[in-house]
């Protein structure tokens, strides 16, 4: 990607973001946060995530 292409892409992205209403930006931001994977999964993968929830479930019983 050439420098001019990158500058053009960044300019389009910024203008697109600035043209959105504030409520729309908030809605998109909260939707992105809700779909984000949990801390355990992001940092340690699926196996520790499963073990953590199994231990947590057994402690409740």
């Amino acid at each position: 990607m050439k420098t001019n292409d990158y500058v053009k892409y960044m300019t389009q992205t910024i203008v697109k973001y600035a043209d959105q209403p504030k409520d729309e930006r908030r809605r998109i931001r909260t939707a992105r946060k809700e779909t984000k994977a949990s801390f355990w999964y992001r940092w340690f993968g699926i196996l520790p995530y499963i073990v953590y929830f199994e231990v947590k479930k057994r402690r409740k019983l």
Side-chain angles (χ1 to χ4, degrees):
M1 182 180 272
K2 293 184 179 182
T3 306
N4 289 341
D5 294 336
Y6 183 70
V7 170
K8 181 180 177 182
Y9 168 74
M10 290 303 295
T11 305
Q12 288 174 347
T13 305
I14 291 169
V15 169
K16 180 180 166 186
Y17 178 79
D19 285 344
Q20 289 178 341
K22 195 171 190 177
D23 295 336
E24 180 72 15
R25 284 182 268 169
R26 279 191 191 140
R27 187 185 60 76
I28 291 171
R29 192 177 319 125
T30 55
R32 194 177 327 126
K33 284 182 181 179
E34 289 173 357
T35 59
K36 194 179 211 181
S38 70
F39 169 80
W40 286 97
Y41 184 76
R42 283 184 289 140
W43 280 86
F44 303 112
I46 190 71
L47 292 177
Y49 184 72
I50 291 171
V51 171
Y52 169 74
F53 278 103
E54 286 298 320
V55 169
K56 186 177 175 182
K57 186 169 65 173
R58 289 184 185 184
R59 284 186 183 172
K60 286 184 179 179
L61 297 176

